[in-house]
Structures are given as structure tokens and as C-alpha cells.
């Protein structure tokens, strides 16, 4: 049972508002911890394994094979998994603005699949809509131009009812777009560009990739206690005394991370889901919900060799949170960073302006509301469950609209839109602010319990049917999704 139901008390409501404000102001949120950091499962002092970077493919001629395989989760420990090209993360697909992508997908899985390019603006036919899922042993060729700015995107399966299981078993990879604007910034690259896919799993090799959600998981989303990075349990990374770029992707099932460094140093955030922010912003912590990306710099020049810094998920609490074994807000040690003796070089200062993001004109924009509601065994948007052949909303190409995402439940809902990015204008209730790292363009926004998030959206590229859905993967698979048709 989930005490509190839909009626959340004022006191608990303030609790999360305070957590958000403290995180923003750099205050301590440790006081809000609901578990003992010394014994909490997420902080586990197990043996750490080196974080490895995924292999790379060019989008101009890429071939992906989704098939059963074996994932190495630590030294001498591996798990049966489902993988793209035998790898976790799948190969990183790299593209430049202006290029044409040609990607071949072969389905070697025992069930239908389809690949979606999350955050990449592609025609509706190439977007991986669930109704285009292909059968086992079938293949599909995707062709689309890269029309957007540089940024950190990803790809993953999107077959209806099967998305959560396929991602959990290991099917996910990065899709990185570069452009001239970003080149000019001279950001850290090569060994100083770290891609980090975060997922929470069970610790044992036998259970880590097994998809067997419980009834409780189908309500809250599947939350587990041990952090994995790029498929490896409790990762560690050696860094030289220089500036690094971290592109972090939350590819978990349901977990929200509150990312920070354990030495209190700030993160210099330069980008999020839609690419570069207008300017870099220094923050103490970042809420990162499923599907979201965050792109930040850490300069290790100031730390002596041997320094160990932990990239953490800080504890936080939710109003009327369901009582589960590994609740949202569990403290976790995500990635250990060990400074080596090298480097010590001073990188050039970043320019004050990273990119320009013209604000969408809000005046006179028509408004639509989307109410996200969860009951014991249902997850609905505007009272409806997904029918992949039903059009739920129609929006004219080019029209700017004001959309309100209302969370009428005790669970976080990361709301994701295909076919267009959006701009976050306001958040009321709950954390009650728009965080500086939510500036620019976003394709996924976290709507915590009791929050209403207001965004401006304009589909200005392609007509056709694009999903809007909750990216909690159990919620998504159970129908918290609808079809928006751009006409
Ligand atoms: Cu990342 Cu519709 O998905
Ligand atoms: Cu998407
Ligand atoms: Cu949800």
C-alpha cells in the first residue's frame, strides 16, 4: 500500500521544496538523508572497476545489431545481457550538424524492437515510434539529416510494453552531435571527454540484468540499490590534473539522481538535453531524471595527485513517497575519481557566451494541459492510457504553444517529448523553481510530485506523429504516453 495516496500533506510538500532550494544554494542536503550513509546500499564500499569509454561509430554509415550477449560488469564477473553490437553502452554514434545519417538496425532479439534517437530531431518515420517495431530477424534502415546543434543525445529501444526490459537488459548508447559553434569553444576532448551512462541495478551478476519487475516496481518504477556506470558495477576513473568534460546520461529505469561532488566543489554545467546552455553555470548539485543528460566540466588541476573525489547522488526525500526497499533519494556513490600526477595544465577560460538560444515568444501562445496521474496499477496522461494508433493532440507546424505538465501523484514523472525540444518557463509547487541547468533547450523535464512545469514548445521541422511520455520506463510501458500529431 502507498499511504498518503494522492493527498500530499503541506509539511512533506515543504520538505522537498527545501531540498531543492538547499541544493541550489549549496546548503547541506545531508540533513535530509533518509538512510545511514555508512550502511545504505547505494554507497556500498564494494570493489570498484575501471570505467571504460564506449566504442564509436560514424552516423554516416553505422550498423547496429541488437542481440543477446554477455556484459562484463566487473573483473571476472559477467552477466547475460541484450546488447547493441555486443557492447554496453552500445557504440557511441557520432555525427556533425549538416551530415546525413545512414543507420542499419538488425533485430537479433527474441522479440520485436525499434530504435529511437532520443533528442535527435528526425522525421516521424525515422523516430522509432512503437508502431514501427520490427520482428525478430528483421532489419530497418534509418536515413535522416543532422539538422540540430551540438549536444549529448542517446538511442534506445522503444517497442510498446517492451522498452523497459530491453533497456534494462543492456540496450542503450550515446548519440553525440558536434558542430562548429562547439568546436570553437575548445572543450576537453579525447581522453578528457567522459561519457557516463548511469543505471541502478542489483549487485549480483545473476540479477543485475534480469528483468523481473515486482508489483511494487510497476507502481513506483524499478528502483535498485547499486550504481552502475557504462555497464560496470561501482566504477572508478583515473583523471589527470586538467579540465575534464563529463556528459552524463541517466539511462536508469526510474531513478532520479541528485548529482554532486563529495568535496563540495561545484559543477560547471555547460549543457543539458538540447545542447549547450547560453552560458556556463556553477551549481552544487543537479537533479537528473530518467532520459535527461547533463554536460559539465570539472577542473582537477587544483587537486594533488592521489586525491579521491566521489561523484555522488545526494540523498533527498519526496512528499508521501511510497515505502520501498530502495526509495527515490537513496544516497549513492556513482563514480570514484582518482587524480593522478599528470597534467597540471591550465585550460583557457571559457567564453562568457557558449551559445545563443533565442527565447520562444510566449505572447498569445495557446495553452494545453497534460495531467500525469498514477494509481496503484495505472499510469495515465489526461486520464488516458497509450493507444499507439490513436492521435491524442494535434498541433500546427510552426505554432508556439504553452504546455503545462501537472503531476497529480506521489511519484516523480520525467516528461519527455519526441520531435521537438522545448524551453522550461516555470515550475510551481514542489521545488518551485526552474534550475539554472534547465535553461536552453530540453527534451525531458522532471516533474516532481505536486509540481506544475510550464514549457514553451514549437515543432518547426517535421510533420507527423511524435510521442509525449513519462520516461519512467515502467510508467511508459504501462501506457503513460500519448501521440501528438504535428499537422
Ligand atoms: Cu528516450 Cu520516447 O524516449
Ligand atoms: Cu525521445
Ligand atoms: Cu511517470
Amino acid at each position: 500500500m502507498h499511504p498518503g495516496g494522492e493527498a500530499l500533506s503541506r509539511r512533506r510538500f515543504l520538505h522537498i521544496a527545501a531540498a531543492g532550494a538547499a541544493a541550489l544554494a549549496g546548503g547541506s542536503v545531508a540533513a535530509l538523508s533518509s538512510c545511514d550513509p555508512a550502511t545504505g546500499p547505494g554507497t556500498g564500499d564494494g570493489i570498484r572497476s575501471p570505467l571504460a569509454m564506449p566504442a564509436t561509430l560514424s552516423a554516416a554509415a553505422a550498423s547496429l545489431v541488437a542481440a543477446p550477449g554477455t556484459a562484463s560488469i566487473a573483473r571476472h564477473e559477467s552477466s547475460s545481457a541484450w546488447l547493441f553490437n555486443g557492447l554496453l553502452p552500445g557504440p557511441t554514434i557520432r555525427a556533425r550538424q549538416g551530415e546525413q545519417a545512414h543507420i542499419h538496425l538488425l533485430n537479433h532479439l527474441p522479440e520485436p524492437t525499434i530504435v529511437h534517437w532520443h533528442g535527435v530531431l528526425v522525421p516521424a518515420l525515422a523516430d522509432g515510434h512503437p508502431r514501427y517495431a520490427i520482428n525478430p530477424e528483421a532489419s530497418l534502415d534509418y536515413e535522416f539529416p543532422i539538422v540540430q546543434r551540438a549536444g549529448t543525445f542517446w538511442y534506445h529501444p522503444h517497442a510498446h510494453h517492451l522498452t523497459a526490459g530491453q533497456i534494462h537488459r543492456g540496450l542503450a548508447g550515446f548519440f553525440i552531435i558536434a558542430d562548429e559553434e562547439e568546436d570553437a569553444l575548445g572543450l576537453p576532448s579525447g581522453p578528457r571527454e567522459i561519457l557516463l551512462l548511469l543505471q541502478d541495478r542489483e549487485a549480483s551478476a545473476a540479477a543485475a540484468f534480469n528483468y523481473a519487475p515486482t508489483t511494487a516496481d510497476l507502481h513506483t518504477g524499478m528502483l535498485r540499490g547499486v550504481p552502475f556506470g557504462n555497464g560496470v558495477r561501482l566504477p572508478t576513473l583515473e583523471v589527470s590534473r586538467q579540465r575534464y568534460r563529463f556528459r552524463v546520461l541517466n539511462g536508469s529505469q526510474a531513478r532520479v539522481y541528485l548529482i554532486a561532488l563529495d568535496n563540495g566543489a561545484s559543477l560547471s554545467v555547460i549543457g543539458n538535453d538540447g545542447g549547450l546552455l547560453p552560458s556556463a553555470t556553477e551549481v552544487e548539485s543537479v537533479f537528473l531524471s530518467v532520459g535527461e543528460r547533463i554536460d559539465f566540466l570539472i577542473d582537477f588541476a587544483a587537486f594533488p595527485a592521489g586525491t579521491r573525489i566521489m561523484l555522488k547522488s545526494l540523498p533527498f526525500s519526496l512528499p508521501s513517497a511510497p515505502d520501498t526497499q530502495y526509495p527515490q533519494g537513496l544516497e549513492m556513490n556513482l563514480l570514484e575519481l582518482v587524480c593522478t600526477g599528470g597534467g597540471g595544465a591550465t585550460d583557457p577560460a571559457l567564453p562568457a557566451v557558449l551559445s545563443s538560444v533565442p527565447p520562444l515568444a510566449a505572447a498569445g501562445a495557446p495553452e494545453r494541459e497534460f495531467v500525469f496521474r498514477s494509481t496503484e496499477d495505472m499510469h495515465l496522461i489526461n486520464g488516458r492510457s497509450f493507444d499507439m494508433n490513436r492521435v491524442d493532440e494535434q498541433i500546427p507546424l510552426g505554432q508556439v504553444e504553452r504546455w503545462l505538465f501537472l503531476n497529480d501523484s506521489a511519484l516523480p514523472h520525467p516528461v519527455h517529448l519526441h520531435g521537438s525540444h522545448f524551453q522550461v518557463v516555470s515550475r510551481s509547487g514542489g521545488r518551485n523553481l526552474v534550475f539554472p541547468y534547465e535553461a536552453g533547450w530540453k527534451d525531458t523535464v522532471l516533474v516532481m510530485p505536486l509540481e506544475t512545469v510550464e514549457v514553451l514548445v514549437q515543432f518547426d521541422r517535421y510533420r507527423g506523429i511524435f510521442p509525449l511520455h513519462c520516461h519512467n520506463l515502467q510508467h511508459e510501458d504501462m501506457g503513460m504516453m500519448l501521440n501528438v500529431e504535428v499537422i
Side-chain angles (χ1 to χ4, degrees), residues 397-411:
L397 185 74
Q399 176 161 295
V400 178
E401 295 201 354
R402 179 193 304 275
W403 288 7
L404 298 174
F405 302 136
L406 288 84
N407 185 342
D408 184 22
S409 72
L411 304 171

Side-chain angles (χ1 to χ4, degrees), residues 229-249:
N230 294 354
V232 161
R233 186 178 61 217
L234 300 171
T236 180
L237 178 71
E238 287 193 349
V239 292
S240 58
R241 298 176 53 232
Q242 288 174 291
R243 185 190 279 162
Y244 277 68
R245 178 180 193 179
F246 290 83
R247 302 182 190 245
V248 183
L249 158 63

Side-chain angles (χ1 to χ4, degrees), residues 33 58 77 92 95 100 119 129 134 141-142 173 210 212 236 270 279 289 297 312 347 369 394 456:
S33 177
S58 161
E77 273 185 87
T92 299
Q100 184 77 9
H129 191 282
I134 58 171
D141 286 286
Y142 294 83
N210 184 33
T236 180
I270 58 170
S279 55
S289 66
L297 305 177
K312 293 184 64 89
D347 284 274
E369 275 192 9
Q394 287 186 315
L456 290 170

